Structures are given as C-alpha cells and as structure tokens.
Amino acid sequence: MSETVLVLGATGVVGRGVVEAAVEAGRRVIAVARGRDALEALRRDHAGAGIDLVPGSVANEADAAALARRLRDLDRPITGVAAAVAGVPRRGRILDNDGGPDAMRAALDEDLLPHVAAARHLLPLMAERGRGGTWLLIGGPAGALPWA
C-alpha cells in the first residue's frame, strides 16, 4: 500500500505543488480545500492518480473537528500532512500597524489558530492504531519574516 499524504490548502499555489510532487512520488493524496470546483479541477489535472478530495477547512476548532471526522471515515492511514494554509500576508509588525489589538486578534485568528486547530484534531488521527507520520508546515506565522 502506498503512503498517504494529506494536503491542507491543496488548491492554492503551494498546495498544488505539494500534490503534484506527492503524485509523482507515487503517494496517495487526500486533498483538502474549501472549494469543490477547485478540488475537482485538481483531480482532472491528475487523472488516474490516487487522489481523494475532501472539501473542508481548519479555519477554526469546529471546522477542524468536522474535517477529522470525515478523514476518519475515509479509513486511510495518513503518513504525512502538508499544511499549506496561511492568512492574508501582512507587512511589518502587527502591533505597529493601524488596528491595535483588533488587528492582532485578526492575525491570530487567520494565521495561527487554524494551525493549532489542525494539529489538535489531525495529529491524534495520524497516531491512531500506532501510526506515526510527518507534519510539514508551509508558510504560516513567521514563514518568511518574523511574525510579530
């Protein structure tokens, strides 16, 4: 059985590249993104590859929990996660920009908390039945520049 890679944000520029690399390496892919049409386009681009499409999000705890339930129902051993999700790119230090505490809260909600929710719900899924795996965070807070 081929290893299965879960790609969060699979229809974005980076996510599509991760999907392509995984397919070329002979891995099964579970592609997760919000838009069904974009997911279907991803499947068409990789016709014949082992890609499961799962509409979903890790934007908050409820969404991440629902995604984990859908993934558990697939009953595929996930051996790796590539999390290619990021909020709106910001310039400079968040607290130095206009918006003060509200801007900081928005940045936390968009950039950091989705990764926390994903880890909280998907890491236990990877560990079920003694499975392990690799978690790759692409982008996100401090991906290119100091975040705060």
Side-chain angles (χ1 to χ4, degrees):
M1 176 186 294
S2 158
E3 293 184 353
T4 300
V5 177
L6 172 68
V7 181
L8 300 173
T11 59
V13 172
V14 173
R16 289 180 72 80
V18 172
V19 168
E20 184 172 337
V23 167
E24 287 177 5
R27 304 289 198 282
R28 289 197 57 84
V29 174
I30 300 172
V32 177
R34 291 179 183 169
R36 289 181 188 271
D37 291 342
L39 283 169
E40 287 297 337
L42 188 64
R43 186 192 324 256
R44 284 191 301 276
D45 290 347
H46 299 285
I51 298 180
D52 291 303
L53 307 179
V54 179
S57 171
V58 293
N60 56 51
E61 289 288 328
D63 289 348
L67 175 61
R69 284 190 299 274
R70 284 194 294 274
L71 293 170
R72 190 169 280 110
D73 290 343
L74 278 179
D75 196 32
R76 296 220 188 288
I78 298 168
T79 56
V81 173
V85 294
V88 176
R90 291 174 174 76
R91 296 181 145 206
R93 290 170 32 102
I94 295 168
L95 293 175
D96 292 343
N97 294 327
D98 292 336
D102 291 337
M104 182 64 164
R105 179 62 191 193
L108 289 170
D109 286 344
E110 294 171 14
D111 296 337
L112 180 63
L113 296 180
H115 292 287
V116 172
R120 183 184 329 269
H121 294 282
L122 300 180
L123 283 172
L125 180 66
M126 288 175 62
E128 286 179 0
R129 292 180 268 173
R131 299 185 298 226
T134 301
W135 191 282
L136 176 63
L137 173 61
I138 303 169
L145 300 170
W147 185 65

